[in-house]
Amino acid sequence: MEAVSGTAERRGEAAAGLPLNLGGPLSRRSTLLLPALVYLGVRALGVVVLTVFAAVHDTSLWSRLTAWDGEWYLKIAAHGYDLGPIPDAFDVPNPFTSRAFFPAYPFLIRVLTPPFGATAAALIISLVAGLCAAYGLARLGRIVRGGSRRAGHILVALFAATPMSIALSMAYTEALFCALAVWTLVALLERRWELAGVCCLAAGLVRSTALALIIAVAVAAVTALVRRTDGVRPLAALALAPAGLFGYLWWTGLRVHPGAGLAEQLSTWSDLEWQGWLTRFDGGLSTAQFVAEVLTGSNTAMSVLTVGVIAGALAGFVVLVRQRREAVLAVYAAGVMFLCLASSSLMHAKPRFLLPAFTLLVPVAIALAKRRTATVVQVCSAVALLSAWFGAYALTVWEYAV
């Protein structure tokens, strides 16, 4: 049966204009390296364009790649969380502001600092994590219903060229989180419950967005338990998945409010987000107000582009649901979008916050995989160029944090 499906896939790729894999050593090696080459090619374009913009605006590439959150992560890696009282969004000195940043990324930076230096270590981690995400996406695009090896490679290109994908090349956590998230989803689809639990646990130590991943794991595991398809193995994923995120939230609360109850300790991180960045759950009210203001009176390109990204994400979700693809893909995307759009976080950072919602790109990748190679190259090239400009503009022309 596997041989028959492989033959069908090769025929489909040939019909679409993709050269057949002849099975020789060079072909196999090229196939193995293709996700990395596609990802690195698109990301290299983004960095090159950013380099040009940085020169035009009299700043350095390194300062842009380590700006804003990157500075926080580098300081935490060097000195730990005890950075002293730092003025928060209310201009009140707060010794706990740094604890709003999750620990896994600065820990890895600290481990790799001796051989490489802190800044290089941060960027190397993002590079390696991005490559891991690329191979996970290539696999995801192949194993979903209607997917193929070709669709997987297109999915890698689209992911590397999403709006604000420049963050994947920065001292930010997006690349690391996306790598863990995509391999969690791959493990769920392949019913490798222990791997899904471990990857989700680790993701919970990287970003609060892991809550969306935890929900996806829970839905998949409970469904498997009800259907009795894998015995009690899904329980391993259920037990492991929330441990990272809620463990860090509890630890943060314990450090800030040692004598408080469990509920107050778990909510401490949210309090720090509000105090430091005026970010809190408001049911989407702030996002709705922002969109209304931009559509009726904004004269800044960044605002208009941000609204465009939000609209594109919502449209992509509708397509994902209407195509009735694997439920775990829609559940995860819905979670990421809800956490992003239902908060009062920096509005112009929302394109970056939507980066982990890469499952929205699956229908696009599968549809493109049925087109001729020339069409695929043209579409992916255009998207990559627009993404490169968007990232460079956001980091050099736009003066506020993203």
Side-chain angles (χ1 to χ4, degrees):
M1 188 67 183
E2 184 177 348
V4 172
S5 64
T7 301
E9 179 181 316
R10 288 193 294 274
R11 288 175 179 170
E13 291 174 346
L18 185 71
L20 290 173
N21 186 341
L22 301 179
L26 182 58
S27 298
R28 286 195 296 270
R29 192 178 304 117
S30 299
T31 300
L32 179 63
L33 293 177
L34 195 52
L37 294 175
V38 170
Y39 178 82
L40 292 175
V42 176
R43 292 303 333 120
L45 174 63
V47 173
V48 167
V49 174
L50 175 59
T51 302
V52 173
F53 270 62
V56 169
H57 293 278
D58 196 26
T59 185
S60 70
L61 175 65
W62 290 107
S63 70
R64 295 299 83 205
L65 294 178
T66 58
W68 300 310
D69 285 9
E71 295 178 1
W72 281 96
Y73 286 117
L74 290 171
K75 288 178 182 177
I76 294 170
H79 307 291
Y81 281 104
D82 297 324
L83 300 179
I86 298 173
D88 58 22
F90 298 95
D91 203 27
V92 176
N94 190 334
F96 303 113
T97 301
S98 61
R99 296 181 187 276
F101 294 91
F102 282 63
Y105 186 55
F107 171 77
L108 292 175
I109 295 174
R110 189 165 191 166
V111 169
L112 294 180
T113 293
F116 299 109
T119 300
L123 299 179
I124 289 171
I125 293 166
S126 291
L127 174 63
V128 173
L131 289 172
C132 290
Y135 279 95
L137 289 162
R139 192 180 186 97
L140 182 68
R142 181 166 57 85
I143 65 176
V144 295
R145 287 194 299 271
S148 63
R149 183 177 290 109
R150 179 180 172 90
H153 294 152
I154 295 172
L155 184 59
V156 173
L158 294 175
F159 169 72
T162 47
M164 273 310 295
S165 58
I166 188 64
L168 298 171
S169 302
M170 297 174 66
Y172 271 49
T173 57
E174 271 68 23
L176 181 58
F177 178 82
C178 288
L180 293 166
V182 69
W183 280 106
T184 298
L185 297 177
V186 167
L188 290 177
L189 293 178
E190 295 180 345
R191 294 156 58 184
R192 298 161 66 183
W193 300 104
E194 297 81 4
L195 176 62
V198 170
C199 288
C200 189
L201 183 157
L205 296 172
V206 179
R207 292 185 67 86
S208 62
T209 316
L211 181 60
L213 202 57
I214 292 169
I215 295 172
V217 171
V219 169
V222 169
T223 301
L225 288 170
V226 170
R227 294 176 178 175
R228 300 180 180 179
T229 54
D230 291 309
V232 298
R233 287 179 52 233
L235 289 175
L238 275 177
L240 290 169
L245 175 62
F246 290 102
Y248 178 69
L249 296 181
W250 171 77
W251 179 82
T252 299
L254 194 64
R255 299 288 293 180
V256 179
H257 301 298
L262 180 60
E264 184 178 352
Q265 289 175 344
L266 290 176
S267 65
T268 297
W269 181 85
S270 296
D271 295 337
L272 293 175
E273 279 278 279
W274 171 246
Q275 294 163 8
W277 291 269
L278 299 181
T279 297
R280 66 181 175 186
F281 175 78
D282 64 359
L285 179 61
S286 296
T287 301
Q289 290 176 339
F290 169 74
V291 171
E293 291 171 1
V294 169
L295 293 179
T296 58
S298 174
N299 61 354
T300 65
M302 191 67 184
S303 297
V304 175
L305 291 169
T306 298
V307 171
V309 172
I310 293 173
L314 292 171
F317 182 73
V318 172
V319 173
L320 185 67
V321 172
R322 289 190 63 181
Q323 289 190 358
R324 298 179 181 275
R325 301 210 166 270
E326 289 83 346
V328 69
L329 303 183
V331 169
Y332 170 70
V336 174
M337 293 174 64
F338 180 78
L339 292 173
C340 172
L341 301 181
S343 75
S344 61
S345 58
L346 292 171
M347 291 299 141
H348 299 96
K350 291 194 181 295
R352 175 170 67 85
F353 294 153
L354 287 169
L355 259 178
F358 46 77
T359 56
L360 297 175
L361 301 172
V362 170
V364 182
I366 292 176
L368 273 177
K370 299 174 183 177
R371 304 293 181 179
R372 296 186 63 83
T373 300
T375 302
V376 175
V377 171
Q378 290 169 4
V379 171
C380 290
S381 297
V383 172
L385 285 169
L386 286 172
S387 171
W389 171 83
F390 187 98
Y393 176 91
L395 292 184
T396 57
V397 180
W398 183 250
E399 59 184 296
Y400 304 106
V402 293

